[in-house]
Amino acid sequence: MFIAGKWEEAAGGRRFDVTNPANGEVLADVPDGGAQDAARAIDAAFDAFPGWAGATAYDRSRALFKAWQIMMERKEELALTMTREQGKPIRAARNEVQYAADFLQWYSEEAKRVYGATIPSARADQRFITLRQPVGVVAAITPWNYPVSMITRKLAPALAAGCTLVLKPAEATPLCAVEMFKIFEEAGFPPGVVNLVTAGDPAPIGEEFVSNRKVAKLTFTGSTPVGKMLAGRAAAEMKRVSCELGGHAPFLVFGDADPVHAAKGAQLVKFLNTGQACISPNRMLVQRALVDDFVGTLSERVGSMKAGNGLEDGITIGPLVNQAAVDKVAAQVEDAAAKGAEIVCGGKRLTDGGLDKGFFYAPTVLAGVTPEMRIYREETFGPVAPVIAFDDDDEALAMANDTHYGLAAYVYTQNNSRAMRMFEGLNFGIIGINDINPTSAAAPFGGMNDSGLGREGGRDGIDEYLETKLGGFSI
Ligand code: ADP
């Protein structure tokens, strides 16, 4: 753990193991922190806050830029750690490291653009001026699926704004966080500005984060139930909250789209990170006339994916995170099949060739999915593409919006009017129009309804860490 500029053990002296989900190998152990450690880290961040908030925007920018430079030098090392700890194929890990580094670079620039305003008054003897100031100590909780980029997506804007912080990474992926904090240490952030608490049991740390009066803001990425619970607790203390939670993205393919092109896009985005992404499509809604061509191309491509250890050549899909994830995927597929869905490819656990030591499930395509099936509403977070037919635009839009989630949606159409109607009508925070990667450090990422509160990335991302203060001057 990294507290007040020093590497520390947990107060209780305990440690916990970190394993490789591809083969069960123990990779390392890390300190198993508790509430007392979280409180120590919050104290350190609180004490460092006046100095960091009072540093110039140029100082903060330089430290972030330095962290970006070191990260670029360590790209390969970070990617290797990520593949071992999280399981994604090495190429995907490299892409994630680049995406993660982009946040450090972008917010090193944005740090210098935190502008206030002058506002005309109705009184001749009055002047209004606003200041934008950092909210204070930030507590951050990040998930295991994108174990490096979810850190920088929160920390870079918080640090650029002048906040100090404590991070608790997911228990499955603390090693990526440790590597990132070595980079922050070398980049020269003053002691206490960035603090890391690792823990095998997240609950006591979460409780300290939401109850400690020194914490001004909680930023959380993870599941909807945990996010709602923590946001509720934080609201009782009137803390600021941002949450990036689950999703159930529709992927709409209209009759005027090229079904082969759409199916290629669907395969690339659905099976990225073994489907363990909050923006992963969870319903492929395809206009009836295109269903056969779409399913044909999709299943052909999915059938040729190669599962295994992401460090080996030719592996295109990694393991799931743990046994519970495999069981959830298997249960959704069995439920769909029992209610009449067709398993076009996959549909089983993978155990041959040593895969039984890890958590593998075959990439799967289901056709003929209907609203009675669990997968129609429940987030899968796994490698299953359920295909559902629709007849017209109104039905497609109604089906797409028929969810409590509201994170990402995808639309394939060649018709500009339809594209705009869908962009306006879909109740989701991120819409990819003929595009499977609508994400960037420069663009706002976040959802509506059960998918969360607030935005990360871009100009909106730094607003989450700033207070607006009004000055009314009588002259
Ligand atoms: P998932 O089911 O995808 O692992 P979680 O919401 O459980 O999603 O995990 C996301 C993050 O939330 C992780 O860092 C995890 O440790 C943390 N977390 C889970 N439960 C709690 C809790 N009760 N308090 C604080 N953090 C928690």
Side-chain angles (χ1 to χ4, degrees):
M1 303 197 297
F2 190 67
I3 299 176
K6 295 204 181 66
W7 291 95
E8 303 258 4
E9 288 300 317
R14 287 190 315 274
R15 298 178 72 86
F16 68 99
D17 286 345
V18 184
T19 53
N20 182 336
N23 55 23
E25 173 199 2
V26 174
L27 297 168
D29 57 8
V30 296
D32 187 6
Q36 207 182 328
D37 302 296
R40 256 192 317 150
I42 292 166
D43 285 343
F46 191 78
D47 293 345
F49 177 68
W52 186 244
T56 68
Y58 284 79
D59 293 336
R60 293 199 292 266
S61 170
R62 259 190 299 276
L64 284 164
F65 190 75
K66 181 81 187 161
W68 174 75
Q69 284 180 313
I70 303 170
M71 207 173 161
M72 296 313 291
E73 286 160 16
R74 305 245 174 102
K75 212 172 152 178
E76 194 61 20
E77 271 171 77
L78 278 164
L80 287 167
T81 301
M82 194 190 302
T83 295
R84 289 197 187 99
E85 187 182 38
Q86 196 271 344
K88 69 186 67 181
I90 187 73
R91 273 183 58 190
R94 288 185 191 120
N95 288 344
E96 183 185 337
V97 174
Q98 182 61 55
Y99 174 59
D102 289 349
F103 287 96
L104 295 173
Q105 186 187 38
W106 202 86
Y107 283 106
S108 79
E109 295 155 353
E110 196 66 3
K112 294 176 275 186
R113 297 184 188 110
V114 177
Y115 303 139
T118 57
I119 300 163
S121 167
R123 269 171 42 204
D125 67 343
Q126 189 184 44
R127 302 291 180 269
F128 284 132
I129 296 177
T130 63
L131 282 183
R132 306 277 282 147
Q133 293 183 315
V135 295
V137 173
V138 172
I141 297 179
T142 49
W144 46 265
N145 59 342
Y146 286 89
V148 172
S149 56
M150 294 304 98
I151 294 178
T152 54
R153 200 159 81 176
K154 295 182 185 310
L155 271 49
L159 292 167
C163 295
T164 56
L165 54 92
V166 182
L167 168 74
K168 190 211 74 64
E171 50 277 25
T173 55
L175 302 179
C176 282
V178 168
E179 292 310 309
M180 283 308 298
F181 272 68
K182 288 183 189 161
I183 292 172
F184 294 136
E185 182 185 23
E186 282 178 46
F189 289 96
V193 170
V194 288
N195 303 277
L196 170 69
V197 177
T198 50
D201 176 6
I205 314 278
E207 182 53 31
E208 186 64 31
F209 281 179
V210 292
S211 58
N212 191 309
R213 303 228 35 138
K214 291 180 176 173
V215 173
K217 153 120 197 170
L218 173 74
T219 171
F220 174 85
T221 298
S223 61
T224 297
V226 175
K228 282 185 172 177
M229 184 277 290
L230 289 172
R233 296 277 298 112
E237 300 294 326
M238 207 42 78
K239 296 186 192 306
R240 274 146 191 72
V241 179
S242 317
C243 284
E244 205 269 279
L245 308 175
H248 205 276
F251 188 102
L252 296 152
V253 184
F254 286 94
D256 59 55
D258 172 353
V260 171
H261 179 62
K264 284 181 185 169
Q267 183 259 330
L268 287 170
V269 64
K270 171 67 238 185
F271 296 93
L272 199 65
N273 219 22
T274 320
Q276 301 171 116
C278 46
I279 61 169
S280 189
N282 223 119
R283 286 167 295 156
M284 307 290 176
L285 300 168
V286 183
Q287 196 140 20
R288 203 170 297 278
L290 259 48
V291 168
D292 288 347
D293 284 349
F294 180 86
V295 169
T297 304
L298 180 62
S299 52
E300 193 181 306
R301 291 177 69 92
V302 170
S304 66
M305 294 184 82
K306 193 156 175 253
N309 183 330
L311 292 181
E312 289 167 15
D313 277 348
I315 295 301
T316 50
I317 187 161
L320 286 154
V321 65
N322 56 28
Q323 189 57 44
V326 176
D327 293 345
K328 181 179 180 192
V329 170
Q332 285 193 1
V333 171
E334 280 158 26
D335 169 79
K339 291 174 183 160
E342 180 197 352
I343 299 174
V344 186
C345 67
K348 59 179 192 301
R349 293 161 208 246
L350 294 174
T351 50
D352 292 353
L355 296 189
D356 56 332
K357 296 196 184 70
F359 306 113
F360 289 93
Y361 195 90
T364 298
V365 177
L366 296 177
V369 169
T370 58
E372 298 72 42
M373 300 172 189
R374 278 174 55 191
I375 201 162
Y376 188 87
R377 296 200 183 278
E378 283 179 25
E379 188 179 28
T380 306
F381 235 60
V384 185
V387 180
I388 302 152
F390 69 83
D391 288 307
D392 60 38
D393 289 29
D394 289 345
E395 188 190 14
L397 190 58
M399 284 167 102
N401 283 336
D402 183 20
T403 170
H404 293 295
Y405 290 113
L407 189 57
Y410 304 85
V411 179
Y412 273 70
T413 177
Q414 293 307 314
N415 179 317
N416 279 338
S417 310
R418 175 175 284 134
M420 182 54 76
R421 280 200 307 277
M422 291 298 145
F423 181 43
E424 290 179 355
L426 286 163
N427 298 328
F428 297 82
I430 304 162
I431 319 277
I433 309 279
N434 299 314
D435 187 59
I436 52 165
N437 188 17
T439 58
S440 153
F445 185 109
M448 302 173 181
N449 303 318
D450 274 0
S451 291
L453 292 172
R455 294 293 181 269
E456 295 187 321
R459 286 187 63 186
D460 303 57
I462 198 166
D463 284 347
E464 303 280 337
Y465 299 98
L466 292 166
E467 285 279 18
T468 298
K469 184 185 281 180
L470 173 69
F473 294 74
S474 253
I475 58 168

